Amino acid sequence: MDFFPIFLKLTGQSCLVVGGGEVALRKVRLLLEAGARVNVAAPALNAELAGMAERGEIAHLNARYASEQLSGMRLAIAATDDAAVNRQVAEDAEALGILVNVVDDAELSRYISPAIIDRSPLMIAVASGGSVPVLARQIRARLESLIPAGYGRLARFAASFRDEVKARFDNIDARRRFWESVLEGQLAETVMNGDEAAARAEMASRIEAGGCEPAGAVYLVGAGPGNPDLLTFRALRLMQLADVVLYDKLVAPELLNMARRDAERVYVGKARANHALPQDDINQLMVKLARQGKRVLRLKGGDPFTFGRGGEEIATLAENGIAFEVVPGITSASGAAAYAGIPLTHRDYAQSVTFVTGHKQDGSIELDWPALTRPQQTVVVYMGVSTAAELCQAFIEHGRAAETPAAAVEWATTERQRTVCGTLSSLPGLMASHGIASPALIIVGEVVSLADKLSWYRRSSDSAVTIQED
Ligand code: SAH
């Protein structure tokens, strides 16, 4: 161990920062966050530091560095661009037994500043012994994404019950089990979502009951368009916490692999005509599992509230008094647009965008054609592969020009993505000759003509090509 990790209480303690530039400013900010009394020694301050001095947030020692400035300090930071001054600060501080850090110089430093993830009172520090700070920062970035922003709140909440829980459970194992059930359960989610009052009430009744099983809940989670990188942090976290995952056809296997290893996985997928489980059975299954105390994750392709029947699923939960939460996902229209280089709106070409379904209700496509065929807009059709020919024909019949650019994007954002670009009149033929199948979106509007210039996600493999029509 090259450095001994500690956390330092600096509230009200005097610290000296030598230097008046950008680097010094960063250090000053951190010290102020820790509640330190900050003195800055520098003949000149940059604008922000000067403002802080004016507002009395820091004390400005308007002079070059001199060793007397160290008197009474707990900690010193040398942040000048003058190596000789930095070395002097380090030597003087060492002689006085003051903790010293020289920015970017672990050799001269008594302590080094780690990369931090701040969920106060929970604090995570990562250091590389000063040798590869970029690596420490990378690890920090990864942890940032895994540790929810609400953890600080959760830590404060738990701390406020510490004595009460200790008094209630004198057996240390029982106490640990109790805390595990609280911190890994739905109650923790309630706290992190900010409903402190509900969480306090639940906590009080659990302490009184001496534990009790965690209450079940359902998370209706959007898994995004298919590329696992496009999952939200929240979706990933809930996947790693859920006891049961209900998924359907659009959810890629790579995504499912991210669920907790021992979570039960249930396929409830619906192909358009061949329903694996009727919607009502899915709804009832979720109610049943949640009543057993399970945390159920209903994973849906794209966004659960965009052609996802998410509204119907949670209506049943609400009627049955089951706790639930909805997590948005990137809808496939956004995914396809970004990965195919087709902006959905554009100042010159489209001032609005409409998402519609090409799915037939009772044998016909019921859409508001006069509205959809107005110029200067983009229309994205979900579930329109099998009706593509009829759809494109209807656009033309209702007045949109036959040469309006139109594209189909299949398996958008995944390694299987293929984009076929043409016009309203040529697209159905192109889709058929290239064998474009579901899941695919059809995008209609002038913005499609930008794909040629803006597409960046071209796959070099044969099964994934961008085809441009002359
Ligand atoms: N809730 C989903 C949509 C479900 S409806 C969402 O927000 O994206 C199913 C339709 O979504 C498919 O028929 C197809 O049109 C579209 N879709 C879903 N994922 C897709 C993908 N990766 N590429 C292209 N289209 C996709």
Side-chain angles (χ1 to χ4, degrees), residues 65-356:
Y65 166 72
S67 59
E68 301 85 67
Q69 294 164 345
L70 283 169
S71 131
M73 299 293 150
R74 273 280 183 189
L75 179 145
I77 299 176
T80 76
D81 46 17
D82 183 331
V85 172
N86 287 349
R87 175 173 291 275
Q88 194 59 52
V89 175
E91 283 172 8
D92 295 346
E94 279 289 284
L96 290 165
I98 297 171
L99 282 174
V100 65
N101 173 259
V102 176
V103 175
D104 274 343
D105 194 334
E107 202 66 34
L108 281 180
S109 298
R110 173 58 51 191
Y111 81 92
I112 52 172
S113 305
I116 56 175
I117 299 126
D118 185 358
R119 303 284 189 273
S120 289
L122 193 82
M123 185 73 102
I124 300 168
V126 184
S128 63
S131 51
V132 203
V134 175
L135 204 60
R137 281 204 291 275
Q138 264 179 17
I139 292 173
R140 193 202 107 169
R142 292 199 184 171
L143 291 175
E144 280 282 5
S145 65
L146 283 179
I147 299 167
Y151 251 41
R153 196 183 277 155
L154 183 60
R156 284 192 297 277
F157 176 86
S160 73
F161 280 99
R162 192 160 170 251
D163 294 341
E164 218 176 309
V165 171
K166 210 165 168 182
R168 179 72 177 76
F169 303 91
D170 44 14
N171 173 316
I172 186 162
D173 283 335
R175 202 149 70 218
R176 183 178 47 80
R177 274 196 304 275
F178 177 80
W179 277 122
E180 276 170 3
S181 85
V182 168
L183 296 175
E184 290 167 6
Q186 178 55 27
L187 183 49
E189 301 301 321
T190 310
V191 177
M192 287 190 275
N193 282 336
D195 194 351
E196 181 107 14
R200 288 201 164 272
E202 165 78 16
M203 189 72 177
S205 74
R206 273 212 216 171
I207 292 173
E208 195 181 300
C212 84
E213 285 300 297
V218 176
Y219 310 117
L220 183 61
V221 175
N227 186 326
D229 272 1
L230 297 176
L231 219 70
T232 63
F233 293 157
R234 179 113 190 104
L236 180 61
R237 273 209 324 105
L238 291 174
M239 285 172 81
Q240 289 174 353
L241 172 140
D243 305 303
V244 188
V245 180
L246 307 184
Y247 65 101
D248 50 37
K249 184 162 144 273
L250 279 178
V251 174
E254 303 92 285
L255 270 165
L256 211 54
N257 285 340
M258 293 174 149
R260 211 175 80 195
R261 212 172 292 273
D262 56 349
E264 194 183 326
R265 292 155 167 78
V266 183
Y267 177 71
V268 295
K270 304 182 282 242
R272 205 166 43 80
N274 113 53
H275 291 205
L277 258 193
Q279 186 65 53
D280 195 48
D281 290 1
I282 300 178
N283 300 350
Q284 294 309 329
L285 179 62
M286 290 195 295
V287 171
K288 189 177 109 197
L289 291 167
R291 287 233 166 100
Q292 291 169 358
K294 301 225 165 88
R295 282 167 299 173
V296 183
L297 187 117
R298 173 74 172 106
L299 199 56
K300 311 216 73 162
D303 175 72
F305 277 5
T306 307
F307 302 119
R309 304 187 75 171
E312 295 163 49
E313 300 194 357
I314 59 172
T316 311
L317 300 172
E319 282 157 22
N320 285 275
I322 306 286
F324 64 88
E325 177 179 330
V326 183
V327 179
I330 294 180
T331 190
S332 49
S334 298
Y339 278 61
I342 303 174
L344 295 176
T345 65
H346 188 286
R347 281 207 303 185
D348 299 331
Y349 304 112
Q351 280 72 51
S352 68
V353 54
T354 308
F355 296 169
V356 299

Side-chain angles (χ1 to χ4, degrees), residues 35-48:
R37 215 178 291 161
V38 182
N39 303 277
V40 179
L45 298 181
N46 75 10
E48 270 176 87

Side-chain angles (χ1 to χ4, degrees), residues 225-226 250 301-304 306-308 330-333 381-384 409-414 438-441:
L250 279 178
D303 175 72
T306 307
F307 302 119
I330 294 180
T331 190
S332 49
V381 187
Y382 287 67
M383 295 173 276
V409 188
E410 180 191 54
W411 286 109
T413 76
T414 72
S438 184
L441 291 164

Side-chain angles (χ1 to χ4, degrees), residues 452-463:
D452 192 23
K453 218 165 53 194
L454 304 182
S455 81
W456 56 273
Y457 192 68
R458 292 172 198 241
R459 320 301 297 158
S460 51
S461 57
D462 288 343
S463 63

